[in-house]
Amino acid sequence: QLFRVDNVQIRSFVQENQKVRDLVFEHQQRQEILKGWKALGMRPNDIGLLADLDETLTRDFLRAIQVCDVPQFQYEKYKCHYQN
C-alpha cells in the first residue's frame, strides 16, 4: 500500500468575524488543520502536506518523497517540525 490511512477526520471551521479576511482567514483554517493532525497522533518526525488546490503534486512526486532521501526532511539536521 502506497499511502496508509488509518483515521480520517472532518473538522468544521466557521469564522463569522467579517473583519477576518484573506491571509488571516487562511492562517486560521490551517491552524485548525494542524490541531486535527495533532489529535490524530501526528508526531514531530511525520510529514504532512498542506496545500491549496492549485498546488497539488503528482503521484510520482509523492512517491519520490516517500522513498527518496530528501535532505531538507532530515529532522536531526534541520529540526523541521511544527512548533506550537
Side-chain angles (χ1 to χ4, degrees), residues 2-14:
L2 182 59
F3 299 102
R4 187 182 82 237
V5 177
D6 295 327
N7 296 307
V8 175
Q9 184 182 78
I10 298 174
R11 296 176 73 88
S12 177
F13 178 79
V14 178

Side-chain angles (χ1 to χ4, degrees), residues 41-75:
M42 190 173 205
R43 298 177 306 254
N45 288 342
D46 293 336
I47 295 174
L49 175 63
L50 183 59
D52 295 328
L53 288 176
D54 63 343
E55 299 169 345
T56 57
L57 305 171
T58 65
R59 185 177 194 276
D60 292 336
F61 182 82
L62 293 173
R63 179 70 177 149
I65 288 174
Q66 186 182 37
V67 299
C68 297
D69 181 29
V70 180
Q72 291 83 353
F73 293 160
Q74 293 176 1
Y75 172 75

